[in-house]
Amino acid sequence: MGVTLKRILVIDDAATVRLYHRGILEAAGFAVSEAINGLEALERVAEAPFDLYVVDINMPKLDGYGFLRELRSKDIPQAPAIMVSTEAAANDQKLAYVSGANLYLIKPVRPERLLAHVLTLLGLSVAPRDPHQGRHQ
Amino acid sequence: MNPLLLQFLTEGREFLQGIGEKLLQLEDNPADSACMDDLFRLVHTLKGNSGLFEVPEMTRVLHAAEDLMDATRAGRVAFSRALADQLLEAMDFVAVLLDDLSAATGEQLPSTSHHAAEAVRLGELLRGLMAQAGEVVSEQLPVASAAPSAPTAVADNVTDNWQLTPDTFIHVPEAQRMDCYRRLSAGATLCWLVYQPDEDCFFKGEDPFFQVIQLPDILWQRVTSREQWAALAELDAYRCLLRFELIVSASPAALAEHFRYVPDQIEIVPLTAAALLMPSGRVHTEPLAAEFTRTAQALLAAGNLTALTQAARTLLELSAPDLWLASALRWLLLVVEHTPQEIDLQRQVLAQIGELGAQNPPKPPFSKGGFAAVNAEVLEAAQTVLAAQRDILSLTDSAPWLTGRLQAAAASLAGTCASLGCDAELTALNHALTAAISAKTPAPLLAWLDNSPLPVEKGTSSSPSFGKEGQGGILSTAGGLLSQPPDLKSPQPPFSKGGLDAVSNPPSPSFPKGGLDAPLSKAGLSEEPAFNRRAEDHQVSPRTLKVDQVKIDRLMNLIGEMVVAKNALPYLAGRAEEVFGVRELSREIKSQYSVINRIAEEMQDAIMQVRLLPVSFIFQRFPRLVRDLAHKLGKEVRLVMEGDTTEADKNIIEALSDPLIHIVRNSLDHGLETPAVRQAAGKPSEGRLTIQARQESDRVVITISDDGRGIDPVVIRHKAYEKGIVDEVELERLTDQEAINLVFAAGFSTAETITDLSGRGVGMDVVRDAIAKVNGTIELRSTVGKGTQLRLSLPLSMAVTNVMMIESAGQRFGVPMDAVAETVRVPRRAVRTIKRRLTTVLRDRLVPLVALNELLALEVPQRTNGDDEFAVLVVRIDGDYLGIIVDECRETVDIILKPLAGFLGSLNGYAGSALLGDGSVLLVLNPRELL
């Protein structure tokens, strides 16, 4: 089997936020691509789907909700999406879920927190392969 | 500087620029909703970015600005000039903060706390605008957001209590904090309350002390002064400057109710147990600490809390009670006793103690961004993810993209399963997904989730396979793999002052580079070890590249040096032939020289292109400048800017900046009249200021024209005579145009009264000099009553100067070619003396002559050639021709002109010096100043 890195697409119109997320994710060994809005993100997805998406909400041209609806309408392998917002509004969270997000985190996401969720969603966090589980299987 | 901070600063300035532009656009057209949306987004994004750093002052102001813009966008607040003024002021404040931050050296973010008062003031002003419009002002305090409406706790609580840093509790004694910790773990609701009564509160019939005393269940309190107390004689006892800090056992809602008349004067933050956990005391390196930590971590991993307690007690007995270590141990015991389920917290304290053995003083564990921290959050993350998927699967809408949503949820669940090691459930999950998709309902997936052993919606410890023991197991496995000592060489994360609390940790934008690489590649991606990135992964908007100016300047200098260095090759070739007699080598050197020469010229050309900047670089500040000045002066001015894409060398553009601002100021201050005066003169009340840029052959021409009152030559003559700039004879002779040009004379200022805008002692002579310094010229035309026009003409580039070499008294000098009109031979007999000045007639035109040796005070007569002819270099200065007699005119040469520095810097007769190919220095004359 070919050796590839898990690919993550970071979608945010703020370069600072992209750099922040990229820094965290690349340090953890992921291949990170960036898109500055929903439209550009869709172009990237058209080239090849990703293993995970980190999506901002408020972006020009096509916002995060719009991007997710488009993404989830595509006939491609669907990967988890983390929506990152600055507002802790319950309404926004519901809209995010309806649009197709799998997680709703509030900015700024601490590096440890982001990584913990990314690793979990990708099935990469350390598995508790302790004796109990072993016997269970 | 930290790259993230650098990016933030660069982008932040762009945002501010954009915000300023949008605001001005909106002023012209308040109904432009697209513009309004853009504006909101810019403010919103900037606020979001600022949250990555600990700059509460900036976040506070931007938060208020964002709320205001949101209200404006929704039509709840009307866009007005006052609103724009306020926002612009707020953005100026943010710009100041950005400048402060950019002064950061090293990894520590400079403190901006001295701006706190200003931030509060601006924040209140912005919120005040909303309040005036009847908007319900919800201060960012979590009184409202901490209510049960908060979403299912996926949020990082950081935003809610960003003001809670460990420093907050520095004055609360440990015993009190421990007491609070016990109460919190027992389920009590505690709040941190800061009450800063209004300065005039006594006059409003408020009684702050009474208010505070009336509070039930005060656990701790402190009263301080907001300012240094004044000397007793000057003390105003009726000015209330108190600041109350309290820890109260009450809900935020109850406190808000208690202080309902002064909501703007209080801050309420619900306390978390973790926030209180802060060992304090005398720091002393403790070798035992490391040993203890290892033992304790092992015990903790094994879930043996009894033994852990025993070990901690033993060490505590050995330590002096005022030591930091003792305090940390007391905390550890407290955490173990009262919140045995808080493994995270226990690990934190332990990690801190461990560091005590390694270094001094201890750093808070999270500032390391170590992977242990990630590890500590994985279980929590898994629960969060599962809860979110449950919410998603419980949605009842039938969106067209339901299938995709189901697949994504299933993918998320599969990932979580794999993370938790429940791979056995995956087959069932797949079946459930298939069923769900074909039935177009999430029900099968939901059923699978409910029947799975995953710890979803079942609290933290009640899941069968994730009981206390199980948790310990997970963490111990994880810990064994992952909590290896973080790579100490890895950069310390920049800005976290260090939060102790895992949950409400202030954002610590640490770049976990390096520190995380090793452990993760081992543990997380064990089957994918190679790092062969694909090309497309890095293709992100590659259209433009931002480069630090310093780098370009460096490249420029290097290329300059190379141009000079390559000029040595022809000399070398000459020496090879003449001194060593190897003609073959000489020819080879020459042919190689031509190649290097061509490349060097292309490089020079290329770097010149890079250095070109559009004049918009300086134009962009004019809308704001004109607007503010006009407001201040009570004038109405329409600014028209044209050709702002015209490009010129960066140095030229930079040199233009201050003169242009001065000219614009002058225009607004002295040129354009007030609306009343204009109307009386039959002009439209709105004045017009036009700034135009265009390229004319190899020069950039900028014209600044207004339709103001113009410059009256009569007034100028009068003034000039008064100030002794011209005498009576000259006064008679001056044409109107010449009179107007007197404004460029040193020490001339026409302003009747010195206003605070232009008359700062800087006259138009300074403007002219600044323009002349970059080889530019300035022309002034004015018609009384119609307006004034200034025309600046500047070279496109000043990097390379073409000079003519001349010889005089056995020395070589350079003269810039753009001043040279022609070179001629003048026979000695054609030189006449008219009015004690040397002159000659050149093509029926009288040209004054000067001998260079005389100008330079060299006591040598000029030489003539064999036919007794003088070599004359005719230069053109401000349209007049003048001949300079030299000994010999030589070839022209391209040089990099370096201005004279140091003591020589004041020698105005020289434009600068340059290095020639043979290593000698050429002094370049400045004809304008010389004469």
Side-chain angles (χ1 to χ4, degrees), chain B residues 84-146:
Chain B
D85 278 342
Q86 209 56 256
L87 279 170
L88 284 170
E89 192 188 344
M91 293 310 134
D92 287 347
F93 173 71
V94 174
V96 168
L97 289 176
L98 287 180
D99 286 346
D100 274 16
L101 293 181
S102 64
T105 49
E107 294 294 324
Q108 195 65 38
L109 207 61
S111 165
T112 51
S113 54
H114 53 286
H115 292 302
E118 177 71 356
V120 171
R121 186 184 72 84
L122 286 169
E124 278 170 3
L125 281 174
L126 291 172
R127 290 187 189 282
L129 286 170
M130 271 186 278
Q132 282 166 23
E135 176 83 349
V136 180
V137 184
S138 64
E139 182 62 29
Q140 74 278 27
L141 299 171
V143 182
S145 57

Side-chain angles (χ1 to χ4, degrees), chain B residues 331-372:
Chain B
W331 275 109
L332 180 64
L333 287 168
L334 184 76
V335 173
V336 170
E337 183 190 349
H338 287 274
T339 46
Q341 75 281 4
E342 293 276 9
I343 310 260
D344 281 359
L345 284 181
Q346 294 156 16
R347 292 172 67 88
Q348 269 179 56
V349 184
L350 272 182
Q352 270 190 310
I353 296 175
E355 278 183 49
L356 192 62
Q359 60 196 84
N360 185 16
K363 293 219 169 69
F366 271 103
S367 67
K368 271 221 166 108
F371 197 72

Side-chain angles (χ1 to χ4, degrees), chain B residues 8-186:
Chain B
F8 168 66
L9 292 173
T10 317
E11 197 180 36
R13 294 204 175 98
E14 277 172 26
F15 280 140
L16 288 180
Q17 177 75 37
I19 290 168
E21 279 167 15
K22 297 285 175 209
L23 275 170
L24 295 188
Q25 273 180 34
L26 275 177
E27 253 188 8
D28 280 346
N29 184 9
D32 186 346
S33 67
C35 186
M36 187 81 86
D37 284 347
D38 283 347
L39 181 57
F40 171 76
R41 210 189 56 248
L42 287 170
V43 178
H44 169 84
T45 312
L46 186 56
K47 185 206 85 178
N49 285 358
S50 77
L52 292 174
F53 302 91
E54 276 185 67
V55 198
E57 293 81 21
M58 191 185 299
T59 312
R60 176 185 278 264
V61 170
L62 286 172
H63 196 305
E66 183 197 12
D67 287 351
L68 179 58
M69 279 321 300
D70 194 30
T72 313
R73 182 172 67 147
R76 297 194 297 270
V77 175
F79 188 88
S80 64
R81 180 166 273 189
L83 187 143
D85 278 342
Q86 209 56 256
L87 279 170
L88 284 170
E89 192 188 344
M91 293 310 134
D92 287 347
F93 173 71
V94 174
V96 168
L97 289 176
L98 287 180
D99 286 346
D100 274 16
L101 293 181
S102 64
T105 49
E107 294 294 324
Q108 195 65 38
L109 207 61
S111 165
T112 51
S113 54
H114 53 286
H115 292 302
E118 177 71 356
V120 171
R121 186 184 72 84
L122 286 169
E124 278 170 3
L125 281 174
L126 291 172
R127 290 187 189 282
L129 286 170
M130 271 186 278
Q132 282 166 23
E135 176 83 349
V136 180
V137 184
S138 64
E139 182 62 29
Q140 74 278 27
L141 299 171
V143 182
S145 57
S149 70
T152 40
V154 189
D156 254 353
N157 290 341
V158 181
T159 40
D160 276 353
N161 44 6
W162 50 264
Q163 56 278 73
L164 271 195
T165 66
D167 292 347
T168 311
F169 303 112
I170 203 127
H171 298 289
V172 185
E174 182 179 297
Q176 240 97 42
R177 273 183 286 132
M178 286 189 160
D179 178 47
C180 294
Y181 188 97
R182 279 186 212 102
R183 285 167 186 264
L184 282 167
S185 28

Side-chain angles (χ1 to χ4, degrees), chain B residues 243 321 404 474 567 704 767 814:
Chain B
R243 174 187 164 94
I474 292 166
N567 285 343
I704 304 104
V767 170

Side-chain angles (χ1 to χ4, degrees), chain B residues 247-268:
Chain B
I247 296 178
V248 188
S249 173
S251 69
L255 288 175
E257 171 68 15
H258 185 87
F259 287 99
R260 64 189 176 280
Y261 295 112
V262 286
D264 55 323
Q265 298 165 19
I266 56 159
E267 291 177 25
I268 307 170

